[in-house]
Amino acid sequence: IDFQKQFKGSFVKLVTVILRPEVLNKVREALCDVDIPGMTVTEVKGFGKQKGRTELYRGTEFTVEFVHKVKLEIAISNKNLDLLIDTISDIARSGKKGDGKIFVTEIEKVVRIRTGETDLDAL
């Protein structure tokens, strides 16, 4: 039985997380502790509702329009999705603006290039 066709939606999700750089190591450690070890990390810049921030350097005030963040990309099965979201949220939440966002999208196909395994087997 092809369970993926039997149920509506994908069994594999891509979770994209935008975080403060200073929480990256804690998030990585927490995910490894719950057996979610794989991720791709990219340094990014951007802004949200906070629209950048004002800083003081050598007595001169200036505006930082793009805030440094890190982006995590994690492919995961549906059964571990809530655990992933809860773990990241618990570690990264400070309650202040700029804590980040978590986006979840469906993945149609995954292929492990080395073995040719597909979908859940490729994770």
Side-chain angles (χ1 to χ4, degrees):
I1 299 174
D2 187 346
F3 290 105
Q4 199 159 349
K5 288 181 182 175
Q6 186 178 2
F7 298 101
K8 189 175 184 176
S10 170
F11 273 67
V12 182
K13 302 294 186 200
L14 177 64
V15 179
T16 304
V17 184
I18 307 297
L19 292 173
R20 297 176 189 267
E22 59 269 20
V23 300
L24 175 61
N25 284 331
K26 287 182 181 179
V27 167
R28 184 192 60 78
E29 290 171 7
L31 291 177
C32 287
D33 288 346
V34 295
D35 293 326
I36 302 173
M39 68 179 70
T40 301
V41 179
T42 309
E43 292 182 15
V44 295
K45 294 190 291 185
F47 68 90
K49 288 183 178 181
Q50 71 221 45
K51 309 266 192 293
R53 65 177 184 267
T54 302
E55 292 188 0
L56 194 62
Y57 179 73
R58 294 187 179 181
T60 304
E61 192 174 276
F62 65 99
T63 301
V64 176
E65 293 180 4
F66 293 99
V67 180
H68 289 275
K69 299 286 184 175
V70 291
K71 178 171 75 169
L72 311 181
E73 294 173 300
I74 305 164
I76 193 162
S77 66
N78 273 349
K79 71 176 186 169
N80 292 325
L81 182 61
D82 289 337
L83 175 63
L84 174 75
I85 292 171
D86 292 344
T87 301
I88 292 172
S89 296
D90 289 346
I91 299 297
R93 183 180 297 118
S94 73
K96 298 177 184 173
K97 286 183 181 179
D99 278 348
K101 295 268 191 315
I102 299 174
F103 304 94
V104 179
T105 54
E106 291 189 6
I107 293 179
E108 290 186 26
K109 186 140 191 92
V110 178
V111 177
R112 183 184 313 250
I113 295 171
R114 178 177 54 88
T115 63
E117 294 169 299
T118 60
D119 301 325
L120 291 177
D121 293 331
L123 292 182

